[in-house]
Amino acid sequence: DHIALRFKDFNAVLDTCCGAGFMSIALAKYVRQVIAVDINPHHLGQAENNAKTAGVAAKIRFILGDILEKDTLNKISQIDGAFLDPGWEDWKAKEKSKRGHTSKLSNMNPPADQLFRKISEKTRNILLRLPRETDSSEFKNLPSHELEKVYLDNDFKFYCVYFGKLIKKAGKTKSRAFTDKE
């Protein structure tokens, strides 16, 4: 909810790489409509079932497709904001055994830098969720943003990078501590 609250009162928000749909469900509490996209039909099916269980399925439109493909992007109507959460595994690593979380935006799946550019054509109000392993030099070429480190029980878990109207304090690094009960 902490992340979804940034989108409060937005009309339509895109959730890319939605997986099992937990962020789509959280967003549906605060926005009028969520457009959830995933390339994996199994994940999208899980997301649909989870949204039904949570009672928010009517507020979520599910799209199966590659978010970087023109056909998929054309299915997305006007949006006010977007939650981008690309896969963090280093898909460019030559050996599968070395495919841990990547530190490079271009090694995510889909590549976070390409994803950000494509979605920026639809909205400037973007939240990009990234692994804690992300090299901080990756942030220097991004437009004005707020960088938030998210902690769970005092353990740094991931970054949230906010753009556009989602920024509360541009350029500031903000930390937020959660407990496993939140």
Side-chain angles (χ1 to χ4, degrees):
D1 279 13
H2 165 76
I3 294 168
L5 268 167
R6 292 274 182 129
F7 294 94
K8 188 175 182 191
D9 299 325
F10 278 42
N11 187 41
V13 174
L14 173 66
D15 179 7
T16 67
C17 313
C18 72
F22 297 113
M23 182 51 67
S24 295
I25 292 167
L27 287 166
K29 295 177 189 177
Y30 302 103
V31 304
R32 193 169 186 195
Q33 179 190 27
V34 177
I35 302 164
V37 178
D38 204 284
I39 196 168
N40 183 319
H42 178 70
H43 289 168
L44 207 61
Q46 286 179 318
E48 290 175 357
N49 286 336
N50 289 335
K52 287 176 190 169
T53 300
V56 295
K59 292 182 76 176
I60 304 173
R61 188 171 132 227
F62 296 95
I63 298 174
L64 177 64
D66 181 338
I67 191 62
L68 295 180
E69 294 293 323
K70 187 176 182 178
D71 288 345
T72 303
L73 288 167
N74 287 340
K75 293 176 185 175
I76 299 167
S77 55
Q78 186 174 356
I79 56 172
D80 304 311
F83 175 77
L84 312 182
D85 190 12
W88 297 348
E89 184 178 78
D90 188 346
W91 66 277
K92 290 186 177 180
K94 292 180 182 175
E95 295 176 45
K96 255 194 163 186
S97 62
K98 295 188 180 190
R99 288 189 178 173
H101 288 172
T102 181
S103 63
K104 300 288 181 196
L105 298 179
S106 61
N107 288 7
M108 294 176 189
N109 193 12
D113 50 351
Q114 290 179 35
L115 179 61
F116 181 80
R117 280 194 302 275
K118 285 276 188 192
I119 302 306
S120 291
E121 295 171 9
K122 293 195 167 277
T123 183
R124 296 285 178 213
N125 306 315
I126 295 174
L127 188 163
L128 179 58
R129 193 170 92 99
L130 299 170
R132 67 180 181 198
E133 294 85 1
T134 305
D135 181 350
S136 61
S137 69
E138 294 282 303
F139 301 123
K140 70 181 177 188
N141 294 324
L142 295 174
S144 178
H145 61 276
E146 175 186 348
L147 179 66
E148 177 183 46
K149 289 182 175 180
V150 178
Y151 291 82
L152 178 62
D153 293 329
N154 297 317
D155 185 24
F156 176 34
K157 293 296 184 180
F158 57 86
Y159 289 107
C160 283
V161 190
Y162 301 95
F163 301 89
K165 293 178 181 176
L166 298 173
I167 295 173
K168 288 185 180 176
K169 296 179 184 175
K172 302 282 182 172
T173 299
K174 177 181 168 188
S175 298
R176 171 72 163 104
F178 294 94
T179 66
D180 61 0
K181 293 178 175 93
E182 286 184 89

